[in-house]
Coordinates of all heavy atoms in Angstrom, one line a residue:
M288 N -6.1 -24.7 8.6 CA -5.7 -24.4 7.2 C -6.7 -23.3 6.7 O -7.8 -23.2 7.1 CB -5.8 -25.6 6.4 CG -4.7 -26.7 6.7 SD -3.1 -26.0 6.1 CE -2.1 -27.4 6.5
V289 N -6.2 -22.6 5.8 CA -6.9 -21.5 5.1 C -7.0 -21.8 3.6 O -6.0 -22.0 3.0 CB -6.2 -20.1 5.4 CG1 -6.9 -19.0 4.7 CG2 -6.0 -19.9 6.9
R290 N -8.2 -21.8 3.1 CA -8.4 -22.2 1.7 C -8.2 -20.9 0.8 O -8.8 -19.9 1.0 CB -9.8 -22.7 1.5 CG -10.1 -23.3 0.2 CD -11.5 -23.9 0.3 NE -12.5 -23.1 1.1 CZ -13.2 -22.1 0.5 NH1 -13.2 -21.9 -0.7 NH2 -14.0 -21.4 1.3
I291 N -7.2 -21.0 -0.1 CA -6.9 -20.0 -1.0 C -7.2 -20.5 -2.4 O -6.7 -21.6 -2.8 CB -5.5 -19.5 -1.0 CG1 -5.1 -19.0 0.4 CG2 -5.2 -18.3 -2.0 CD1 -5.5 -17.7 0.9
N292 N -8.0 -19.8 -3.2 CA -8.3 -20.3 -4.6 C -7.5 -19.5 -5.6 O -7.8 -18.3 -5.8 CB -9.8 -20.1 -4.8 CG -10.7 -20.8 -3.7 OD1 -10.6 -22.0 -3.5 ND2 -11.5 -20.0 -3.1
Y293 N -6.5 -20.1 -6.1 CA -5.7 -19.5 -7.2 C -6.3 -19.8 -8.5 O -7.0 -20.8 -8.7 CB -4.3 -20.0 -7.2 CG -3.5 -19.8 -5.9 CD1 -3.6 -20.7 -4.8 CD2 -2.8 -18.6 -5.7 CE1 -3.0 -20.4 -3.6 CE2 -2.1 -18.4 -4.6 CZ -2.2 -19.3 -3.5 OH -1.5 -19.0 -2.3
V294 N -6.1 -18.9 -9.5 CA -6.5 -19.1 -10.9 C -5.2 -18.9 -11.7 O -4.6 -17.8 -11.6 CB -7.6 -18.1 -11.3 CG1 -8.0 -18.4 -12.8 CG2 -8.8 -18.2 -10.4
T295 N -4.8 -19.9 -12.4 CA -3.6 -19.8 -13.2 C -3.8 -18.9 -14.5 O -4.9 -18.6 -14.8 CB -3.2 -21.2 -13.7 OG1 -4.1 -21.6 -14.7 CG2 -3.2 -22.2 -12.6
P296 N -2.7 -18.6 -15.1 CA -2.8 -17.8 -16.4 C -3.7 -18.5 -17.4 O -4.3 -17.8 -18.2 CB -1.3 -17.7 -16.9 CG -0.5 -17.8 -15.6 CD -1.3 -18.8 -14.8
A297 N -3.8 -19.8 -17.4 CA -4.6 -20.5 -18.4 C -6.1 -20.5 -17.9 O -7.0 -21.0 -18.7 CB -4.1 -21.9 -18.5
G298 N -6.4 -19.9 -16.7 CA -7.7 -19.9 -16.2 C -8.2 -21.1 -15.4 O -9.3 -21.2 -15.1
D299 N -7.2 -21.9 -15.1 CA -7.5 -23.1 -14.3 C -7.5 -22.8 -12.8 O -6.6 -22.2 -12.3 CB -6.5 -24.2 -14.5 CG -6.5 -24.7 -16.0 OD1 -7.5 -24.8 -16.6 OD2 -5.3 -24.9 -16.5
P300 N -8.6 -23.2 -12.1 CA -8.6 -23.0 -10.6 C -7.8 -24.0 -9.9 O -7.7 -25.2 -10.3 CB -10.1 -23.2 -10.3 CG -10.6 -24.1 -11.4 CD -9.8 -23.9 -12.6
V301 N -7.0 -23.6 -8.9 CA -6.2 -24.4 -8.0 C -6.6 -24.1 -6.6 O -6.2 -23.0 -6.1 CB -4.7 -24.3 -8.3 CG1 -3.9 -25.3 -7.4 CG2 -4.4 -24.5 -9.7
E302 N -7.2 -25.0 -5.8 CA -7.5 -24.7 -4.4 C -6.4 -25.2 -3.6 O -5.9 -26.4 -3.8 CB -8.8 -25.4 -4.0 CG -9.2 -25.1 -2.6 CD -10.6 -25.6 -2.3 OE1 -11.5 -25.4 -3.0 OE2 -10.6 -26.4 -1.2
V303 N -5.9 -24.4 -2.7 CA -4.7 -24.7 -1.8 C -5.1 -24.5 -0.4 O -5.8 -23.6 0.0 CB -3.5 -23.8 -2.2 CG1 -2.5 -23.8 -1.1 CG2 -2.9 -24.2 -3.6
N304 N -4.6 -25.4 0.5 CA -4.7 -25.3 1.9 C -3.5 -24.6 2.4 O -2.4 -25.2 2.5 CB -4.9 -26.6 2.6 CG -6.3 -27.2 2.4 OD1 -7.3 -26.5 2.4 ND2 -6.4 -28.5 2.1
A305 N -3.6 -23.3 2.7 CA -2.4 -22.5 3.1 C -2.3 -22.5 4.6 O -3.3 -22.7 5.3 CB -2.6 -21.1 2.6
K306 N -1.1 -22.3 5.1 CA -0.8 -22.3 6.5 C -0.8 -20.9 7.0 O -0.1 -20.0 6.5 CB 0.5 -23.0 6.8 CG 0.6 -24.4 6.3 CD 2.1 -24.9 6.5 CE 2.3 -26.2 5.8 NZ 3.7 -26.5 5.7
P307 N -1.5 -20.6 8.1 CA -1.4 -19.2 8.7 C 0.1 -18.9 9.0 O 0.8 -19.8 9.5 CB -2.2 -19.3 10.0 CG -3.2 -20.4 9.7 CD -2.5 -21.4 8.8
G308 N 0.5 -17.7 8.6 CA 1.9 -17.3 8.9 C 2.7 -17.4 7.7 O 3.7 -16.6 7.6
E309 N 2.4 -18.3 6.7 CA 3.2 -18.2 5.5 C 2.6 -17.2 4.6 O 1.6 -16.6 4.8 CB 3.2 -19.6 4.8 CG 1.9 -20.1 4.2 CD 2.0 -21.4 3.5 OE1 3.1 -21.9 3.2 OE2 0.9 -22.0 3.2
S310 N 3.3 -16.9 3.5 CA 2.8 -15.8 2.6 C 1.9 -16.5 1.5 O 2.0 -17.7 1.3 CB 4.0 -15.1 1.9 OG 4.6 -15.9 1.0
V311 N 1.1 -15.7 0.9 CA 0.3 -16.2 -0.2 C 1.2 -16.7 -1.3 O 0.8 -17.7 -2.0 CB -0.7 -15.1 -0.7 CG1 -1.4 -15.5 -2.0 CG2 -1.7 -14.8 0.4
M312 N 2.3 -16.1 -1.6 CA 3.3 -16.6 -2.5 C 3.8 -18.0 -2.1 O 3.9 -18.9 -2.9 CB 4.4 -15.6 -2.7 CG 5.6 -16.1 -3.6 SD 6.8 -17.2 -2.8 CE 7.8 -16.0 -1.9
E313 N 4.2 -18.1 -0.9 CA 4.8 -19.4 -0.4 C 3.8 -20.5 -0.5 O 4.2 -21.6 -0.9 CB 5.3 -19.2 1.0 CG 6.5 -18.4 1.2 CD 6.8 -18.0 2.6 OE1 5.9 -17.9 3.5 OE2 8.0 -17.9 2.9
A314 N 2.6 -20.3 -0.2 CA 1.5 -21.3 -0.3 C 1.4 -21.7 -1.8 O 1.2 -22.9 -2.1 CB 0.2 -20.8 0.2
A315 N 1.5 -20.8 -2.7 CA 1.4 -21.1 -4.1 C 2.6 -21.9 -4.6 O 2.4 -22.9 -5.3 CB 1.3 -19.8 -5.0
V316 N 3.8 -21.5 -4.3 CA 5.0 -22.2 -4.7 C 5.0 -23.6 -4.1 O 5.3 -24.6 -4.8 CB 6.2 -21.4 -4.3 CG1 7.5 -22.2 -4.5 CG2 6.3 -20.1 -5.1
R317 N 4.7 -23.7 -2.9 CA 4.7 -25.0 -2.2 C 3.7 -26.0 -2.9 O 3.9 -27.2 -2.9 CB 4.3 -24.8 -0.7 CG 4.4 -26.0 0.2 CD 4.3 -25.6 1.6 NE 3.1 -24.8 2.0 CZ 1.9 -25.3 2.1 NH1 1.7 -26.6 1.9 NH2 0.8 -24.5 2.4
N318 N 2.7 -25.5 -3.5 CA 1.7 -26.3 -4.2 C 1.8 -26.3 -5.7 O 0.9 -26.8 -6.4 CB 0.3 -25.9 -3.8 CG 0.0 -26.3 -2.3 OD1 -0.4 -27.4 -2.1 ND2 0.2 -25.4 -1.4
G319 N 2.9 -25.7 -6.2 CA 3.2 -25.7 -7.6 C 2.2 -25.0 -8.5 O 1.9 -25.4 -9.6
V320 N 1.6 -23.9 -8.0 CA 0.6 -23.1 -8.7 C 1.3 -22.4 -9.9 O 2.3 -21.7 -9.7 CB -0.1 -22.1 -7.8 CG1 -1.0 -21.2 -8.6 CG2 -0.8 -22.8 -6.7
D321 N 0.9 -22.7 -11.1 CA 1.4 -22.0 -12.3 C 1.1 -20.5 -12.3 O 0.0 -20.2 -11.9 CB 0.8 -22.7 -13.5 CG 1.5 -22.3 -14.8 OD1 2.7 -22.0 -14.7 OD2 0.9 -22.3 -15.9
G322 N 2.1 -19.7 -12.6 CA 1.8 -18.3 -12.8 C 2.4 -17.4 -11.7 O 2.4 -16.2 -11.8
I323 N 2.9 -18.1 -10.6 CA 3.6 -17.3 -9.6 C 5.0 -17.8 -9.6 O 5.3 -18.9 -9.2 CB 2.9 -17.5 -8.2 CG1 1.5 -16.9 -8.3 CG2 3.7 -16.8 -7.1 CD1 0.7 -16.8 -7.0
V324 N 5.9 -17.0 -10.0 CA 7.3 -17.4 -10.3 C 8.1 -17.2 -9.0 O 8.9 -18.1 -8.6 CB 7.9 -16.6 -11.4 CG1 9.4 -16.9 -11.6 CG2 7.1 -16.8 -12.7
A325 N 8.0 -16.0 -8.4 CA 8.7 -15.7 -7.1 C 10.2 -15.9 -7.2 O 10.9 -16.6 -6.4 CB 8.2 -16.6 -6.0
A326 N 10.8 -15.3 -8.2 CA 12.2 -15.4 -8.5 C 13.1 -15.0 -7.4 O 14.2 -15.6 -7.2 CB 12.6 -14.6 -9.8
C327 N 12.7 -14.1 -6.6 CA 13.6 -13.6 -5.5 C 13.3 -14.3 -4.2 O 14.0 -14.0 -3.2 CB 13.4 -12.1 -5.3 SG 12.0 -11.6 -4.4
G328 N 12.4 -15.2 -4.2 CA 12.1 -16.0 -3.0 C 11.4 -15.2 -1.9 O 11.3 -15.7 -0.8
G329 N 10.9 -14.1 -2.2 CA 10.1 -13.3 -1.3 C 10.8 -12.2 -0.6 O 10.3 -11.6 0.4
C330 N 11.9 -11.8 -1.2 CA 12.6 -10.7 -0.5 C 12.3 -9.3 -1.2 O 13.0 -8.3 -1.0 CB 14.1 -10.9 -0.4 SG 14.9 -11.0 -2.0
L331 N 11.2 -9.3 -1.9 CA 10.7 -8.0 -2.5 C 11.6 -7.3 -3.4 O 11.8 -6.1 -3.4 CB 10.3 -7.1 -1.3 CG 9.3 -5.9 -1.6 CD1 8.1 -6.4 -2.4 CD2 8.9 -5.3 -0.3
S332 N 12.2 -8.2 -4.3 CA 13.1 -7.5 -5.3 C 12.8 -8.0 -6.7 O 13.7 -7.9 -7.6 CB 14.5 -7.8 -4.9 OG 14.8 -9.2 -4.9
C333 N 11.7 -8.7 -7.0 CA 11.5 -9.3 -8.4 C 10.1 -8.9 -9.0 O 10.0 -8.8 -10.2 CB 11.7 -10.8 -8.4 SG 10.4 -11.7 -7.7
A334 N 9.1 -8.9 -8.2 CA 7.7 -8.6 -8.6 C 7.1 -9.7 -9.4 O 6.0 -9.6 -10.0 CB 7.6 -7.3 -9.4
T335 N 7.8 -10.9 -9.5 CA 7.2 -12.0 -10.2 C 6.2 -12.9 -9.4 O 5.9 -14.0 -9.8 CB 8.3 -12.9 -10.8 OG1 9.1 -13.5 -9.7 CG2 9.2 -12.2 -11.8
C336 N 5.8 -12.3 -8.3 CA 4.7 -13.0 -7.5 C 3.5 -12.1 -7.6 O 2.5 -12.3 -6.9 CB 5.1 -13.1 -6.0 SG 5.5 -11.5 -5.3
H337 N 3.5 -11.2 -8.6 CA 2.3 -10.3 -8.8 C 1.0 -11.1 -9.1 O 1.1 -12.1 -9.9 CB 2.7 -9.4 -10.0 CG 1.5 -8.7 -10.5 ND1 1.3 -8.5 -11.9 CD2 0.4 -8.1 -9.9 CE1 0.2 -7.8 -12.1 NE2 -0.3 -7.5 -10.9
S338 N 0.0 -10.7 -8.4 CA -1.4 -11.4 -8.7 C -2.4 -10.4 -8.4 O -2.2 -9.3 -7.8 CB -1.5 -12.6 -7.8 OG -0.6 -13.6 -8.2
Y339 N -3.6 -10.7 -8.8 CA -4.8 -9.9 -8.6 C -5.6 -10.5 -7.4 O -5.9 -11.7 -7.4 CB -5.7 -9.9 -9.8 CG -5.0 -9.5 -11.1 CD1 -4.8 -10.4 -12.1 CD2 -4.4 -8.3 -11.2 CE1 -4.1 -10.1 -13.3 CE2 -3.7 -8.0 -12.4 CZ -3.5 -8.9 -13.4 OH -2.8 -8.6 -14.5
I340 N -5.9 -9.7 -6.5 CA -6.6 -10.1 -5.3 C -8.1 -9.9 -5.4 O -8.5 -8.8 -5.8 CB -6.0 -9.4 -4.0 CG1 -4.5 -9.6 -3.9 CG2 -6.7 -9.8 -2.7 CD1 -4.0 -11.0 -3.8
D341 N -8.9 -10.9 -5.0 CA -10.3 -10.8 -4.8 C -10.7 -9.4 -4.2 O -10.2 -9.1 -3.1 CB -10.7 -11.9 -3.9 CG -12.2 -12.2 -3.8 OD1 -12.9 -11.3 -4.1 OD2 -12.5 -13.4 -3.5
E342 N -11.4 -8.6 -4.9 CA -11.7 -7.2 -4.4 C -12.3 -7.3 -3.0 O -12.1 -6.4 -2.2 CB -12.7 -6.6 -5.4 CG -12.2 -6.4 -6.8 CD -11.5 -5.2 -7.1 OE1 -11.3 -4.4 -6.1 OE2 -11.0 -5.0 -8.2
S343 N -13.2 -8.3 -2.7 CA -13.8 -8.3 -1.4 C -12.9 -8.6 -0.3 O -13.3 -8.4 0.9 CB -15.0 -9.3 -1.4 OG -14.5 -10.6 -1.7
F344 N -11.6 -9.0 -0.6 CA -10.7 -9.2 0.5 C -9.6 -8.1 0.6 O -8.8 -8.2 1.5 CB -10.0 -10.6 0.2 CG -10.8 -11.8 0.6 CD1 -11.8 -12.3 -0.2 CD2 -10.6 -12.4 1.8 CE1 -12.5 -13.3 0.1 CE2 -11.4 -13.5 2.2 CZ -12.3 -14.0 1.3
L345 N -9.6 -7.2 -0.3 CA -8.5 -6.2 -0.3 C -8.5 -5.4 1.1 O -7.4 -5.1 1.6 CB -8.7 -5.2 -1.4 CG -8.3 -5.7 -2.8 CD1 -8.7 -4.6 -3.9 CD2 -6.8 -6.0 -2.9
S346 N -9.7 -5.1 1.6 CA -9.7 -4.4 2.9 C -9.2 -5.2 4.1 O -8.9 -4.7 5.1 CB -11.1 -3.9 3.2 OG -12.0 -5.0 3.4
K347 N -9.0 -6.5 3.9 CA -8.6 -7.4 5.0 C -7.0 -7.5 5.0 O -6.5 -8.1 5.9 CB -9.2 -8.8 4.9 CG -10.7 -8.7 5.0 CD -11.3 -10.1 4.8 CE -12.8 -10.0 5.0 NZ -13.5 -11.2 4.8
L348 N -6.4 -7.0 4.0 CA -4.9 -7.1 3.8 C -4.2 -5.9 4.5 O -4.8 -4.8 4.6 CB -4.5 -7.1 2.4 CG -5.2 -8.1 1.5 CD1 -4.7 -8.1 0.1 CD2 -5.1 -9.6 2.1
E349 N -3.0 -6.1 4.9 CA -2.2 -5.0 5.4 C -2.0 -4.1 4.2 O -1.9 -4.5 3.1 CB -0.8 -5.6 5.9 CG -0.9 -6.4 7.2 CD -1.3 -5.5 8.4 OE1 -0.8 -4.4 8.5 OE2 -2.1 -6.0 9.1
P350 N -1.9 -2.8 4.5 CA -1.6 -1.9 3.3 C -0.3 -2.1 2.7 O 0.6 -2.7 3.3 CB -1.7 -0.5 4.0 CG -2.1 -0.7 5.4 CD -2.0 -2.2 5.7
Q351 N -0.2 -1.7 1.4 CA 1.1 -1.9 0.7 C 2.1 -1.0 1.3 O 1.9 0.1 1.6 CB 0.9 -1.5 -0.8 CG 0.1 -2.4 -1.6 CD -0.1 -1.8 -3.0 OE1 -0.6 -0.7 -3.2 NE2 0.3 -2.6 -4.0
S352 N 3.3 -1.5 1.4 CA 4.5 -0.7 1.8 C 4.9 0.1 0.6 O 4.5 -0.2 -0.6 CB 5.6 -1.6 2.2 OG 6.1 -2.3 1.1
D353 N 5.7 1.2 0.9 CA 6.2 2.0 -0.3 C 7.1 1.1 -1.2 O 7.0 1.3 -2.4 CB 7.0 3.2 0.3 CG 6.1 4.2 0.9 OD1 4.9 4.2 0.7 OD2 6.7 5.0 1.7
T354 N 7.8 0.2 -0.6 CA 8.7 -0.7 -1.4 C 7.8 -1.6 -2.3 O 8.1 -1.8 -3.5 CB 9.6 -1.6 -0.5 OG1 10.3 -0.7 0.4 CG2 10.6 -2.3 -1.4
E355 N 6.7 -2.1 -1.8 CA 5.9 -3.0 -2.6 C 5.3 -2.1 -3.8 O 5.3 -2.5 -4.9 CB 4.7 -3.6 -1.8 CG 3.8 -4.5 -2.7 CD 2.7 -5.1 -2.0 OE1 2.6 -5.1 -0.7 OE2 1.8 -5.6 -2.7
K356 N 4.9 -0.9 -3.5 CA 4.3 0.0 -4.5 C 5.4 0.2 -5.6 O 5.1 0.2 -6.8 CB 3.9 1.3 -3.9 CG 2.6 1.2 -3.1 CD 2.3 2.6 -2.5 CE 1.1 2.5 -1.5 NZ 1.0 3.6 -0.7
D357 N 6.6 0.5 -5.2 CA 7.7 0.7 -6.1 C 8.0 -0.5 -7.0 O 8.1 -0.4 -8.2 CB 9.0 1.1 -5.4 CG 8.9 2.5 -4.7 OD1 8.0 3.2 -5.1 OD2 9.8 2.7 -3.9
M358 N 8.0 -1.7 -6.3 CA 8.2 -2.9 -7.1 C 7.1 -3.2 -8.1 O 7.4 -3.8 -9.2 CB 8.4 -4.1 -6.1 CG 9.8 -4.1 -5.4 SD 11.2 -3.9 -6.5 CE 11.0 -5.4 -7.5
L359 N 5.9 -2.9 -7.8 CA 4.8 -3.2 -8.7 C 4.9 -2.4 -10.0 O 4.4 -2.7 -11.0 CB 3.4 -2.8 -8.0 CG 2.8 -4.0 -7.3 CD1 1.5 -3.6 -6.5 CD2 2.4 -5.1 -8.3
E360 N 5.7 -1.3 -9.9 CA 5.9 -0.5 -11.1 C 6.7 -1.3 -12.2 O 6.7 -1.0 -13.3 CB 6.6 0.8 -10.8 CG 5.7 1.7 -10.0 CD 6.3 3.1 -9.8 OE1 7.3 3.4 -10.3 OE2 5.7 3.8 -8.9
Y361 N 7.4 -2.4 -11.7 CA 8.2 -3.2 -12.6 C 7.4 -4.4 -13.1 O 7.8 -5.1 -14.0 CB 9.4 -3.8 -11.9 CG 10.4 -2.7 -11.5 CD1 10.4 -2.1 -10.3 CD2 11.3 -2.2 -12.5 CE1 11.3 -1.1 -9.9 CE2 12.2 -1.1 -12.2 CZ 12.2 -0.6 -10.9 OH 13.1 0.4 -10.6
A362 N 6.2 -4.6 -12.6 CA 5.3 -5.7 -13.0 C 4.5 -5.3 -14.2 O 4.3 -4.1 -14.5 CB 4.4 -6.1 -11.9
S363 N 4.1 -6.3 -15.0 CA 3.3 -6.0 -16.2 C 1.9 -6.4 -15.9 O 1.6 -7.1 -14.9 CB 3.8 -6.7 -17.4 OG 4.1 -8.1 -17.1
H364 N 0.9 -5.8 -16.7 CA -0.5 -6.1 -16.5 C -1.0 -5.7 -15.1 O -1.9 -6.4 -14.6 CB -0.8 -7.6 -16.7 CG -0.1 -8.2 -17.9 ND1 -0.5 -7.9 -19.2 CD2 1.0 -9.0 -18.0 CE1 0.3 -8.6 -20.1 NE2 1.2 -9.3 -19.4
V365 N -0.5 -4.6 -14.6 CA -1.0 -4.2 -13.2 C -2.4 -3.6 -13.3 O -2.7 -2.8 -14.2 CB 0.0 -3.1 -12.7 CG1 -0.5 -2.5 -11.4 CG2 1.4 -3.8 -12.4
E366 N -3.2 -4.0 -12.3 CA -4.5 -3.5 -12.2 C -4.7 -2.9 -10.8 O -3.8 -3.0 -10.0 CB -5.5 -4.6 -12.5 CG -5.4 -5.1 -13.9 CD -6.5 -6.3 -14.2 OE1 -7.3 -6.6 -13.3 OE2 -6.4 -6.8 -15.3
G367 N -5.9 -2.4 -10.6 CA -6.2 -1.8 -9.3 C -6.1 -2.7 -8.1 O -5.8 -2.3 -7.0
N368 N -6.3 -4.0 -8.3 CA -6.3 -5.0 -7.2 C -5.0 -5.8 -7.3 O -5.0 -6.9 -6.7 CB -7.5 -5.9 -7.3 CG -7.6 -6.6 -8.6 OD1 -7.1 -6.2 -9.6 ND2 -8.4 -7.7 -8.6
S369 N -4.0 -5.2 -7.9 CA -2.7 -5.9 -8.0 C -2.0 -5.8 -6.6 O -2.0 -4.8 -6.0 CB -1.8 -5.3 -9.1 OG -2.2 -5.6 -10.3
R370 N -1.4 -7.0 -6.3 CA -0.5 -7.0 -5.1 C 0.6 -8.0 -5.3 O 0.6 -8.8 -6.2 CB -1.3 -7.5 -3.8 CG -2.3 -6.5 -3.3 CD -1.7 -5.3 -2.7 NE -0.8 -5.5 -1.6 CZ -1.0 -5.4 -0.3 NH1 -2.3 -5.1 0.1 NH2 -0.1 -5.6 0.6
L371 N 1.7 -7.8 -4.6 CA 2.8 -8.8 -4.6 C 2.5 -9.8 -3.5 O 2.4 -9.5 -2.3 CB 4.1 -8.1 -4.4 CG 4.5 -7.2 -5.5 CD1 5.9 -6.6 -5.2 CD2 4.6 -7.9 -6.8
T372 N 2.3 -11.1 -3.9 CA 1.7 -12.1 -3.0 C 2.7 -12.5 -1.9 O 2.4 -13.0 -0.9 CB 1.3 -13.3 -3.7 OG1 2.3 -13.8 -4.5 CG2 0.0 -13.0 -4.6
C373 N 4.0 -12.2 -2.1 CA 5.0 -12.5 -1.0 C 4.8 -11.5 0.2 O 5.4 -11.7 1.2 CB 6.4 -12.4 -1.5 SG 7.1 -10.8 -2.0
Q374 N 4.1 -10.5 0.0 CA 3.9 -9.5 1.0 C 2.5 -9.7 1.7 O 2.1 -8.8 2.6 CB 3.9 -8.1 0.4 CG 5.3 -7.8 -0.2 CD 6.4 -8.0 0.8 OE1 6.5 -7.3 1.8 NE2 7.3 -8.9 0.5
I375 N 1.8 -10.7 1.4 CA 0.5 -11.0 2.0 C 0.6 -12.2 2.9 O 0.9 -13.3 2.5 CB -0.6 -11.2 1.0 CG1 -0.7 -10.0 0.1 CG2 -1.9 -11.5 1.7 CD1 -1.6 -10.2 -1.1
E376 N 0.4 -12.0 4.2 CA 0.5 -13.1 5.2 C -0.8 -13.8 5.3 O -1.8 -13.2 5.4 CB 1.0 -12.6 6.5 CG 1.2 -13.7 7.5 CD 1.7 -13.2 8.9 OE1 2.6 -12.3 8.9 OE2 1.3 -13.7 9.9
V377 N -0.8 -15.1 5.2 CA -2.0 -15.9 5.3 C -2.5 -15.9 6.7 O -1.7 -16.0 7.7 CB -1.7 -17.4 4.9 CG1 -2.9 -18.3 5.2 CG2 -1.3 -17.5 3.4
S378 N -3.8 -15.6 6.8 CA -4.5 -15.7 8.1 C -5.9 -16.2 7.9 O -6.4 -16.3 6.8 CB -4.5 -14.3 8.8 OG -5.4 -13.5 8.0
E379 N -6.5 -16.5 9.0 CA -7.9 -17.1 8.9 C -8.8 -16.1 8.2 O -9.8 -16.6 7.5 CB -8.4 -17.4 10.3 CG -7.6 -18.5 11.1 CD -7.7 -19.8 10.5 OE1 -8.7 -20.1 9.8 OE2 -6.9 -20.7 10.8
A380 N -8.5 -14.9 8.3 CA -9.4 -13.8 7.7 C -9.4 -14.0 6.1 O -10.3 -13.4 5.5 CB -9.0 -12.4 8.1
L381 N -8.4 -14.7 5.6 CA -8.3 -14.8 4.2 C -8.9 -16.1 3.6 O -8.8 -16.4 2.4 CB -6.8 -14.7 3.7 CG -6.1 -13.4 4.2 CD1 -4.7 -13.4 3.5 CD2 -6.9 -12.2 3.9
D382 N -9.6 -16.8 4.5 CA -10.2 -18.1 4.0 C -11.2 -17.9 2.9 O -12.1 -17.0 3.1 CB -10.9 -18.8 5.2 CG -11.3 -20.2 4.9 OD1 -10.5 -20.9 4.3 OD2 -12.5 -20.5 5.2
G383 N -11.0 -18.5 1.8 CA -11.9 -18.4 0.7 C -11.5 -17.4 -0.3 O -12.2 -17.1 -1.3
M384 N -10.4 -16.7 -0.1 CA -9.9 -15.6 -1.0 C -9.5 -16.2 -2.4 O -8.8 -17.3 -2.5 CB -8.7 -14.9 -0.4 CG -8.2 -13.7 -1.2 SD -7.0 -12.7 -0.3 CE -5.5 -13.8 -0.5
T385 N -9.8 -15.5 -3.5 CA -9.4 -15.8 -4.8 C -8.2 -15.0 -5.2 O -8.2 -13.8 -5.0 CB -10.5 -15.7 -5.8 OG1 -11.6 -16.6 -5.5 CG2 -10.0 -15.9 -7.2
V386 N -7.2 -15.6 -5.7 CA -5.9 -14.9 -6.2 C -5.7 -15.3 -7.7 O -5.4 -16.4 -8.0 CB -4.7 -15.4 -5.4 CG1 -3.4 -14.8 -5.9 CG2 -4.9 -15.0 -3.9
R387 N -5.9 -14.3 -8.5 CA -5.8 -14.6 -10.0 C -4.4 -14.1 -10.5 O -4.0 -13.0 -10.2 CB -6.9 -13.8 -10.7 CG -7.2 -14.1 -12.1 CD -8.5 -13.5 -12.6 NE -8.7 -12.1 -12.2 CZ -8.3 -11.1 -13.0 NH1 -7.7 -11.3 -14.1 NH2 -8.5 -9.9 -12.6
T388 N -3.8 -15.0 -11.2 CA -2.4 -14.7 -11.7 C -2.5 -13.9 -13.0 O -3.5 -14.1 -13.7 CB -1.6 -16.0 -11.9 OG1 -2.3 -16.8 -12.8 CG2 -1.4 -16.7 -10.6
P389 N -1.5 -13.1 -13.3 CA -1.6 -12.3 -14.5 C -1.2 -13.1 -15.7 O -0.7 -14.3 -15.6 CB -0.5 -11.2 -14.3 CG 0.4 -11.8 -13.3 CD -0.4 -12.7 -12.4
P390 N -1.5 -12.6 -16.9 CA -1.2 -13.4 -18.1 C 0.3 -13.8 -18.2 O 0.6 -14.9 -18.7 CB -1.6 -12.5 -19.3 CG -2.5 -11.5 -18.7 CD -2.1 -11.4 -17.2
T391 N 1.2 -12.9 -17.8 CA 2.6 -13.2 -17.8 C 3.2 -12.5 -16.6 O 2.6 -11.6 -16.1 CB 3.3 -12.8 -19.1 OG1 3.3 -11.3 -19.1 CG2 2.7 -13.4 -20.3
Q392 N 4.4 -12.9 -16.2 CA 5.2 -12.3 -15.1 C 6.4 -11.5 -15.7 O 7.3 -11.2 -14.9 CB 5.6 -13.3 -14.1 CG 4.5 -13.9 -13.3 CD 3.9 -12.9 -12.2 OE1 4.2 -11.8 -12.2 NE2 3.1 -13.5 -11.3
D393 N 6.4 -11.2 -17.0 CA 7.5 -10.5 -17.5 C 7.3 -9.1 -17.7 O 6.2 -8.6 -17.5 CB 8.0 -11.2 -18.8 CG 6.9 -11.4 -19.8 OD1 5.8 -10.7 -19.7 OD2 7.1 -12.2 -20.8
Ligands
LIG288 FE1 10.0 -11.5 -5.4 FE2 7.6 -11.3 -4.3 S1 8.7 -13.0 -4.6 S2 8.9 -9.7 -5.0

């Protein structure tokens, strides 16, 4: 298991044991983490899985695809460490990563 520390829009921490191979979005939804909506179910067409990734882990992630970059333009509250969590695959390298959700997903 890989420990992912989510922070909800209200600022509440939620520690989740994620499974390698699932996405950071799927681990959040499976555990009912508030703030990750994932309306499209992970097919990269909604941007409601937008979150802020722990800066120290950004270099461990696969680079953003052009489609992810395009979709992030539809998200609100985008920052430099914004990613779509359905595009991040859980691996042992992400153990201890913090994922902060944005104030809203609209
Ligand atoms: Fe829709 Fe990530 S769940 S883009």
Side-chain angles (χ1 to χ4, degrees):
M288 288 294 181
V289 178
R290 189 172 39 91
I291 307 281
N292 304 304
Y293 297 88
V294 181
T295 72
D299 298 321
V301 182
E302 184 176 305
V303 162
N304 287 319
K306 301 172 190 167
E309 70 180 342
S310 72
V311 170
M312 174 278 281
E313 289 169 328
V316 169
R317 188 167 52 76
N318 288 278
V320 175
D321 190 28
I323 296 184
V324 177
C327 78
C330 63
L331 200 47
S332 63
C333 74
T335 61
C336 62
H337 166 220
S338 294
Y339 310 115
I340 304 301
D341 192 335
E342 301 271 359
S343 61
F344 280 82
L345 284 175
S346 64
K347 299 178 180 178
L348 307 183
E349 291 293 317
Q351 288 177 304
S352 66
D353 288 343
T354 308
E355 182 182 348
K356 287 178 188 166
D357 289 346
M358 286 307 301
L359 266 172
E360 292 183 12
Y361 295 97
S363 47
H364 314 288
V365 172
E366 297 180 4
N368 59 339
S369 288
R370 291 291 304 261
L371 295 181
T372 54
C373 70
Q374 300 303 298
I375 302 173
E376 183 176 321
V377 172
S378 69
E379 297 292 341
L381 303 188
D382 188 48
M384 182 173 76
T385 297
V386 176
R387 193 164 48 87
T388 59
T391 64
Q392 290 285 11
D393 50 16

